[in-house]
């Protein structure tokens, strides 16, 4: 059963998912012209004019107050996005973990978990529309893009963690009716297929992503289908990005402003060699950074763009991140000045499996990446 409409190649792990059944006022002219009323003094007219102006100002004040109040209510409601209370963060042999991994001693240095970080899994799905066919598990597509946004709400720092779609990790397997079958060591992109193409698929992907991140809690997710890339890209007036590779008319090192289908082409196109998906991931990371920068600039001029973007995205995405969460994060980052947007990739090596490309993580280097992103060194 194939879950991608694109032409497969031998290095593409869009492989058939083995299900193992056995496996988004008009101006009122009613008042019109009033004729002069004898006996009505100019003074009384002025008083009426002042009264009308005061009423207008009062209405405007109330509208502003309501808008501001709504903003702060959304901001307040959106604060609690990540909980480390039940976290049990894993460690490696070279590290000594205490307090369920919240304190780590590694290479003679002590690290403490930064609990101000919110993590959001961002998944790009290789389908035009989210969901399954006939409610059959395995027909919901695969996650071509897997990234985690680690947002430090105290410092205003954002780290984009890029995770190769072909990284080998334990994923939870389900039959066509959603019955649990056990787990299997497969490419991460396949985890999304074992679900309803929406929330359960996202949760299944997040479960595997957390395994890649040594158990680091990822409580929020958003998946976006291919048809949503163009509209969201154009909603902020296009995105200007520098391509890291030469492919499909894009030239390495050259800046290009993307609109519509060209944006889809930029993030989705890939070559047919074993490292093609890794290079595409570089392009996707470059695009995410450029999109975030453009959206931030637009929001500085008009914060309402955040709400409009969120509402527009609802047509093309599945998420457990509410408008209150988005408002809180956007306002917090803007108040901090968005100090930095850093990108890192899970380190490792791409190899050719029996039939498809497989990425094997460098455990020690990946663990050091987690310490760098999520922990602070204790003096």
């Amino acid at each position: 059963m194939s879950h991608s409409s694109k032409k497969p190649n031998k290095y593409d792990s869009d492989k058939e998912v083995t299900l193992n059944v056995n496996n988004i006022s008009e101006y009122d002219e009613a008042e019109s012209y009033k004729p002069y009323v004898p006996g009505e003094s100019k003074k009384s007219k002025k008083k009426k004019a002042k009264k009308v102006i005061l009423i207008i100002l009062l209405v405007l004040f109330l509208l502003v107050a309501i808008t501001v109040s709504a903003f702060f209510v959304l901001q307040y409601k959106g604060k609690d996005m990540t909980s480390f209370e039940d976290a049990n963060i894993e460690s490696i042999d070279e590290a000594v973990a205490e307090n369920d991994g919240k304190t780590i001693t590694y290479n003679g240095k002590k690290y403490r978990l930064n609990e101000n970080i919110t993590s959001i899994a961002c998944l790009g799905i290789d389908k035009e529309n989210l969901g399954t066919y006939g409610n059959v598990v395995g027909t919901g597509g695969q996650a071509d893009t897997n990234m985690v946004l680690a947002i430090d709400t105290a410092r205003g720092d954002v780290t984009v963690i890029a995770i190769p779609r072909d990284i080998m990790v334990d994923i939870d397997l389900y039959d066509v009716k959603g019955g649990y079958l056990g787990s299997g060591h497969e490419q991460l992109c396949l985890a999304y297929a074992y679900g309803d193409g929406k929330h359960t698929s996202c949760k299944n992907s997040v479960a595997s992503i957390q395994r890649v991140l040594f158990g680091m809690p990822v409580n929020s997710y958003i998946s976006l289908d291919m048809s949503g890339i163009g509209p969201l890209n154009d909603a902020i007036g296009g995105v200007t990005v520098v391509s890291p590779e030469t492919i499909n008319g894009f030239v390495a090192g050259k800046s290009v402003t993307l609109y519509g289908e060209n944006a889809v082409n930029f993030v989705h196109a890939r070559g047919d060699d074993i490292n093609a998906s890794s290079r595409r991931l570089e392009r996707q990371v470059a695009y995410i950074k450029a999109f975030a920068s453009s959206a931030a600039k637009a929001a500085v001029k008009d914060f309402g763009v955040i709400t409009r973007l969120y509402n527009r995205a609802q047509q093309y995405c599945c998420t457990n991140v509410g408008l209150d969460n988005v408002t809180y994060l956007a306002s917090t980052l803007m108040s901090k000045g968005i100090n930095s947007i850093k990108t890192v990739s899970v380190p490792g090596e791409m190899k050719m499996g029996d039939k498809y490309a497989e990425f094997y993580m460098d455990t020690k280097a990946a663990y050091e990446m987690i310490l760098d992103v999520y922990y602070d060194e204790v003096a």
Side-chain angles (χ1 to χ4, degrees), residues 10-13 164 166-168 187 273-275 277-278 348-362:
K10 67 179 181 178
Y11 299 107
D12 191 346
S13 62
D166 300 312
I167 193 168
M168 300 301 289
Q187 288 97 333
D273 61 281
I274 192 170
N275 291 309
S277 64
S278 295
E349 181 183 6
M350 189 75 79
K351 298 180 181 179
M352 190 62 204
D354 292 338
K355 293 176 65 177
Y356 304 99
E358 299 176 351
F359 186 91
Y360 291 88
M361 181 173 76
D362 182 328

Side-chain angles (χ1 to χ4, degrees), residues 24-319:
I24 167 136
S25 80
E26 181 179 319
Y27 177 69
D28 186 0
E29 294 186 353
E31 186 173 306
S32 65
Y33 171 73
K34 290 185 179 180
Y36 170 69
V37 178
E40 185 175 35
S41 67
K42 291 183 180 180
K43 186 175 181 180
S44 64
K45 286 183 179 180
K46 288 181 180 179
K47 285 183 178 179
K48 287 183 179 180
K50 287 181 180 178
K51 186 174 182 180
V52 169
I53 291 172
L54 285 172
I55 291 173
I56 292 173
L57 288 175
L58 179 59
V59 170
L60 288 174
F61 173 79
L62 288 172
L63 286 173
V64 171
I66 291 170
T67 302
V68 172
S69 296
F71 168 78
F72 282 110
V73 167
L74 285 172
Q75 186 187 45
Y76 175 78
K77 286 175 64 181
K79 284 187 177 182
D80 189 16
M81 288 184 69
T82 297
S83 172
F84 291 95
E85 289 180 9
D86 300 320
N88 188 7
I89 303 162
E90 303 165 14
S91 64
I92 58 176
D93 292 340
E94 297 89 340
V96 176
E98 300 174 291
N99 191 21
D100 293 328
K102 295 179 184 179
T103 303
I104 301 286
T105 301
Y106 178 74
N107 281 349
K109 297 179 180 178
K110 195 168 186 177
Y111 300 85
R112 182 176 293 118
L113 180 67
N114 179 356
E115 297 191 40
N116 295 310
I117 294 181
T118 290
S119 294
I120 305 175
C122 300
L123 313 172
I125 312 308
D126 64 350
K127 285 188 63 179
E128 291 291 335
N129 298 288
L130 298 180
T132 57
Y133 298 110
N135 294 319
V136 176
V137 170
T139 63
Q142 300 175 14
D144 264 353
T145 302
N146 296 271
M147 298 182 190
V148 171
L149 301 186
I151 304 170
D152 188 331
T153 58
R155 298 168 182 158
D157 296 332
V158 179
T159 300
V160 180
I161 304 173
I163 306 174
R165 72 190 294 280
D166 300 312
I167 193 168
M168 300 301 289
V169 63
D170 287 345
I171 67 176
D172 296 328
L173 308 176
Y174 298 84
D175 64 28
V176 292
K177 294 182 179 180
Y180 181 65
L181 296 171
S183 65
H185 204 61
E186 302 275 1
Q187 288 97 333
L188 173 62
C189 60
L190 300 177
Y192 191 87
Y194 290 96
D196 61 359
K198 294 183 179 180
H199 290 288
T200 64
S201 287
C202 286
K203 291 174 182 177
N204 206 38
S205 290
V206 167
S208 291
I209 285 173
Q210 289 184 145
R211 291 168 187 146
V212 173
L213 302 183
F214 298 88
M216 191 62 60
V218 179
N219 297 330
S220 304
Y221 57 79
I222 177 170
S223 64
L224 180 70
D225 65 41
M226 287 174 55
S227 64
I229 298 171
L232 292 178
N233 177 91
D234 295 354
I236 56 174
V239 174
T240 300
V241 64
V242 176
S243 179
E245 73 166 314
T246 297
I247 186 173
N248 281 26
F250 302 110
V251 180
K254 187 174 180 180
S255 175
V256 58
T257 300
L258 304 170
Y259 299 99
E261 285 301 312
N262 218 22
V264 179
N265 186 24
F266 184 83
V267 301
H268 193 250
R270 62 175 288 182
D272 59 3
D273 61 281
I274 192 170
N275 291 309
S277 64
S278 295
R279 292 197 303 273
R280 179 173 64 179
L281 184 57
E282 288 182 46
R283 267 185 285 120
Q284 292 170 343
V285 169
Y287 178 81
I288 288 292
K289 289 186 67 175
F291 182 93
S293 178
S294 297
K297 289 176 183 177
V300 168
K301 296 178 182 178
D302 174 17
F303 194 82
V305 74
I306 300 298
T307 301
R308 292 193 293 275
L309 266 177
Y310 180 86
N311 291 334
R312 188 71 178 273
Q314 295 308 297
Q315 304 172 51
Y316 313 101
C317 81
C318 173
T319 183

